[in-house]
Amino acid sequence: MDSHSVATAPGELVGGVDPHSHPSFLRHHFESVGQQREAASFGMWIFLLTEVMFFGGMFCAYLIFRNWYHPAFVAGSNTLDITLGTTNTAVLIGSSFTMAMAVYSAEMRRRSQLILFLTLTIVLGFAFLGIKAVEYHQKFVDHHIPGPNFSIQEFVHPSNPHAIPLSPDMAQKTQIYFSLYFAMTGMHALHMIIGISLLFFMVWRASQNAYTEGHIMPVENFGLYWHFVDIVWIFLFPLLYLISRYR
Amino acid sequence: MSHISPVLWQFLVNWFKNFAVFPPEASTIAPYADALYFALVGVTITGLVLVFAMVTFFSIRYRKDRHPEAVQIEGSTVLEATWTLIPLGIFLVFFVWGALLYFRIYNAPPNAMNVYVVGKQWMWKVEHPGGQHEINALHIPAGIPIQVTLISQDVFHSFSIPAFRVKREAIPGRYTTVFFQATRPGKYHLFCTQYCGTDHSGMVGWVYVMAPDDYRAWAAGNTSGASLAQNGERLFAVMGCNACHTGTSQARGPNLFGLYNSRVRMTDGSTMVANEAYLREKILNPSLHVPAGFVPIMPNYQGQISESGLIDLVEYIKSLDSNYRLHQMMNKSVLDSAQPEPIGSANQGAGAAPVPGVQKP
Amino acid sequence: MSTIISLPDQATARLPRKSFLNEEYGIKSWLLTGDHKRIAILYLVSITFFFVIGGALAGLIRMELLTPPSDLMATDTYNKVFSMHGIIMIFLFLVPSVPATIGNFLIPLMVGARDLAFPKINLLSWYLYMAGGLIIFAAMVLGGVDSGWTFTTPLSTHYLNTHVTTAAIGIFLAGFSSIFTGLNFIVTVHRMRCPGMTWFRLPLFVWSHYATSIIMILGTPVLAITLVLVALERTLDIGVFDPSKGGDPLLFQHLFWFYSHPAVYIMILPGMAVISEVISTFSRKRVFGYTAVAFSSVAIAVFGFLVWEHHMFIMGVSQYSALVFSLLTMLVAVPSAIKIFNWTMTLYRGSITFETPMLYAFGFMGLFTIGGLTGVFLATLGMDVHLTETYFIVAHFHFVMVGGMLMAYLAGIHFWWPKMTGRMYPEAISKVSAIVTFIGFIVTFFPQFLLGYLGMPRRYASYPADFQVLNVFSTAGATILGIGYLLPMLYLPWSLVYGAIAGDNPWQATGLEWQIQSPPLTVNFVEIPVMDHEAYDYEWLANKTVHEVQTVG
């Protein structure tokens, strides 16, 4: 976990090397910067473990219902826009890259570069949410949002020539698919929104030189969180969009 | 006793007359359950006495006044192994014992008489195969194995007869079953034990266990005129089921004759047993699993048939099975010839026929 | 090896001039503190508040059940009362009780650290707890919740029009509070141990809390997502748990119990943590079979995750899966048995004294043995069919939760009261209250085993008349139990002002927390200690005491 070493600028002592220098960011209850970093990083991994369990509940529900109502899930995933989905995947992976670059910039103590990459991550995050909003809107137009206005018309009499029409009882089950689709992507989007809010805060802190004087831990930990959110999408995308595409 | 107020005295007397501490044993399961219970109580008391005796003895023997110097002891692998393996062994015995009983309670013998129970907020609706309907009451003959098929119309309920030591959850959307064979005529509590909303504690009733003769008289006097299967046959025609399920080889729907309890091959290659749950599922979600050789064209009856109607249809389809009819007739003949001591029917399902209260595992 | 330790003379003890209690003054210094000890005190006050509410509701339940018909209150009022009792007691009292108060206070002290790894997150978790608690409280005041604490779908999603969503949000927040507490503990134990504090020198208190934390971080998120789905089902009707839409109510049961069964180990493991410390201290002896006790905690945490289906044996699950879960449940009973026997053997050849914490610990051992062994009844498949959903279950989990955990909690509060406050509680009256609690408990809950075997269903506002005698016993016992719990709430605050000065180590215990002043300084240790002996090393303590006497002399 602790693969990075603190980069040293020439002529400067870094906390942990000299026991008498106490960097301002070292909290009183830690013995050394190294201990503080290890603790924070370890804590973040533990937190991500709880996040895995959090999403795990929904993945479990998805697997069970997919197994039961396979035709409905196939039909449901075929109504999703694969172009938008793929674009979004690319956007999100891009944002992970800019985030990784932000961590690198913080290590290299390049303030303006750090701010640039954090801002780029924000922009890509908003791009993702924007595209997601377009997709959600499409579902709204199609009456594919679970609830009283849900319509099974598209599944009983599909407009897509490749699609296999479903019998009405199976078509009803597409509602379960869309419930899970909205619950899972919605939870994912919520994580994105929380992440973007934190990014705004970090841009402000970065402009005050908070992360470019050796204290890169917050950037690093946020990077872990952002990559985790990315990875959740890497699982959601194939499960919701790709499996059993008609072609 | 002269200074106790007579009112209080009377109250106490009444009170203790009404003081139940142990439920009646009224089914073939009950003696088995009680034997297991007392064995468990025995182990609990043994364990408790062991711990209590040791703690008390050590507290007296090694209290500070008598034993001012503690002797430091690291531990003992032998002891650790002992109190790991002995409890484990005891628990495993109970695991096996309990599993045997569990399988006995939830697997009815094939010749059991089927009674349907529908739970809804806050009542039990009972439907006998002969068409008798009851609410919050269940009349059954003693000495006949009975399978109760449960379903709920709304929320989770739980069908509990303490005197029989059986209980089963009534779940919305799927059938569950429980089996028992009553031994002693009498009137026993019937509870809903799963919290089901405002009037949960009002969802209670009575189970009337009757001698077979009395039961026959009761059944004859309370019939609504048509059996469940006859109701189902009518419903079958009204819903237009016979348009496709004609029973001929060119029919668009599967042949229903002899379907019950047979193995059905599905289009995806799997096989399923056509039990009650299967039949019900097929009416409501026909395209969930499609039998091989058919296409899912059956209309969807979700929301159009009540649980009672479904039960009628299931019973009707079951009645198209000659084996099942044979069982029903045998049941009837057992009922007709049943003596106060249950015979015959008990032997097949429940293993060794228990004479209540005498044999214990 | 033998050790003899005489208790220090408390007459000469003085309150330290400076401690975490008087380092700063004012409400702000408490509400914005990062100090784990102050946060522990905040928790102590708030969980006591919720315990009083939950206890009052329990009193109402017992009063209603005094007579067979539902005459004291309407059935739906009764349903709300028992639902709120369950929700408050489980999520706002039992889950945070020992970990968030005693654990929060002691874990940094025991591992030799100045604070938990993340003080701000620790404070955040108190605020989350308070937010959750107040939302649940609001749900109660605004009209209550009658879903039971188990939120069974589809009842909770489609058939109730009470504040179910509000309560679910409250529990969600309280859940995140416990996730953060667990996260903090795990990181602290891994990364903040002082030099020389190896894993096998950790007090068993820390081992148990470590096991608890594992359950907190892995189980609680599943509850969180389940409650989110319930809330979505109620508000947006998404249908995942709705059988009429093809959803599966049993899926809810699986997800809910995946957390809520391990949650009972969240509730009992910290209790076991306290008992290990108390028994060792008052028999002046190292805990018998330290490694076995330590690993049995971890075993409980691991196996605890694999037994959830035993709540569903009668719900139409596959009979073969029921077999597997019954077997695994039998396995999880073994580590508890190991602990009980090890504690008993710790007494062997000790030098036992009977202070209040020890009395509570004895109470714990007796009641937990009954509670644990009756759990075996319920793990036994065929027996569970008859006993589940009756008062037998109620009695069983109250024996474990109230007889076990609450006894352990009170043992812990009394044991560490001198460390937290610097003053002793009054010994005589606290012994009385320990005994009253024990007697009251037995009278309250033992009849419920009999009621359960008779078949009396739980959550009934009215019941058949033949169950009345046992119910009257139970209510009578509850009155005694209430007095037993009231007494500490009176004499403990009293002792804050009038209690004898405790001194640093009134029990002559070996933990690092006892080697510093009471109440401790905000920084805990002026110098980070170096652990040069095993845990529960009374010889080391005796030598140290002799050494101190020599240097002072």
Side-chain angles (χ1 to χ4, degrees), chain C residues 14-23 37 105 109 418-422 502-506 512-526 544:
Chain C
R14 290 251 171 81
L15 268 190
R17 211 162 44 79
K18 213 171 129 189
S19 74
F20 79 99
L21 289 170
N22 61 15
E23 175 113 349
K37 299 179 288 300
F105 195 97
L109 295 173
K419 183 50 65 183
M420 288 179 170
T421 65
D504 294 353
N505 194 356
L512 283 181
E513 79 272 26
W514 295 108
Q515 316 311 323
I516 54 174
Q517 66 173 48
S518 353
L521 291 167
T522 305
V523 290
N524 293 351
F525 302 97
V526 183
K544 180 181 172 240

Side-chain angles (χ1 to χ4, degrees), chain B residues 121 155 195-197, chain C residues 146-147 152-160 234:
Chain B
Q121 285 178 327
V155 301
Y195 174 63
C196 58
Chain C
D146 59 350
S147 61
T152 315
T153 57
L155 178 71
S156 65
T157 50
H158 291 94
Y159 292 88
L160 298 176
R234 267 185 84 82

Side-chain angles (χ1 to χ4, degrees), chain C residues 259-322:
Chain C
Y259 164 76
S260 294
H261 190 76
V264 309
Y265 300 114
I266 293 182
M267 299 175 218
I268 193 66
L269 274 169
M272 296 168 159
V274 171
I275 299 303
S276 295
E277 299 299 313
V278 169
I279 295 220
S280 164
T281 301
F282 294 109
S283 46
R284 321 250 110 249
K285 220 173 135 254
R286 179 172 161 84
V287 173
F288 191 88
Y290 171 95
T291 340
V293 178
F295 278 119
S296 64
S297 295
V298 180
I300 289 176
V302 173
F303 283 118
F305 272 108
L306 306 173
V307 299
W308 76 89
E309 204 191 87
H310 66 213
H311 294 264
M312 304 156 67
F313 282 158
I314 66 161
M315 289 195 188
V317 293
S318 146
Q319 293 178 359
Y320 298 98
S321 77

Side-chain angles (χ1 to χ4, degrees), chain A:
Chain A
M1 266 171 269
D2 188 27
S3 55
H4 313 277
S5 60
V6 182
T8 36
E12 227 184 283
L13 264 178
V14 175
V17 176
D18 178 359
H20 299 295
S21 87
H22 287 294
S24 57
F25 54 81
L26 176 62
R27 303 233 171 263
H28 76 96
H29 60 289
F30 287 109
E31 282 298 277
S32 68
V33 171
Q35 189 192 30
Q36 181 173 357
R37 257 184 83 151
E38 274 183 20
S41 160
F42 186 61
M44 194 65 204
W45 282 99
I46 301 276
F47 179 70
L48 295 183
L49 199 59
T50 72
E51 288 278 24
V52 169
M53 296 305 287
F54 186 79
F55 279 97
M58 283 185 294
F59 276 102
C60 166
Y62 174 88
L63 291 177
I64 289 167
F65 286 123
R66 181 186 175 79
N67 205 21
W68 285 4
Y69 307 132
H70 184 257
F73 272 54
V74 170
S77 67
N78 272 287
T79 63
L80 300 185
D81 190 327
I82 197 157
T83 327
L84 291 181
T86 314
T87 318
N88 244 352
T89 311
V91 167
L92 209 53
I93 292 176
S95 81
S96 257
F97 173 72
T98 54
M99 192 60 226
M101 286 309 290
V103 176
Y104 174 75
S105 316
E107 276 176 13
M108 291 291 120
R109 306 190 171 198
R110 296 176 189 150
R111 188 170 68 108
S112 50
Q113 197 182 327
L114 171 64
I115 293 174
L116 171 72
F117 279 119
L118 288 178
T119 317
L120 270 179
T121 314
I122 293 179
V123 170
L124 289 172
F126 271 121
F128 178 91
L129 289 177
I131 296 174
K132 202 78 231 157
V134 171
E135 286 190 79
Y136 279 5
H137 179 251
Q138 189 58 41
K139 294 285 142 239
F140 178 75
V141 172
D142 292 346
H143 292 285
H144 284 169
I145 292 182
N149 290 324
F150 189 79
S151 154
I152 58 168
Q153 200 54 29
E154 170 64 23
F155 304 106
V156 183
H157 307 290
S159 49
N160 180 346
H162 296 294
I164 308 150
L166 295 179
S167 62
D169 65 301
M170 185 53 85
Q172 278 297 340
K173 306 298 187 290
T174 54
Q175 199 167 344
I176 298 280
Y177 171 80
F178 284 109
S179 298
L180 288 169
Y181 166 77
F182 281 107
M184 292 164 102
T185 56
M187 272 303 153
H188 178 259
L190 184 66
H191 278 78
M192 297 280 296
I193 291 168
I194 293 169
I196 290 173
S197 323
L198 289 173
L199 274 170
F200 275 113
F201 172 75
M202 290 177 70
V203 169
W204 173 65
R205 289 287 290 152
S207 69
Q208 295 178 332
N209 241 341
Y211 307 129
T212 34
E213 296 191 330
H215 185 43
I216 64 156
M217 195 186 60
V219 186
E220 209 175 61
N221 267 351
F222 181 80
L224 284 177
Y225 172 81
W226 194 258
H227 298 319
F228 169 79
V229 175
D230 192 5
I231 287 170
V232 171
W233 179 257
I234 298 297
F235 278 92
L236 287 178
F237 180 57
L239 283 181
L240 293 171
Y241 289 73
L242 295 183
I243 293 185
S244 342
R245 223 50 215 184
Y246 296 136
R247 106 193 48 258

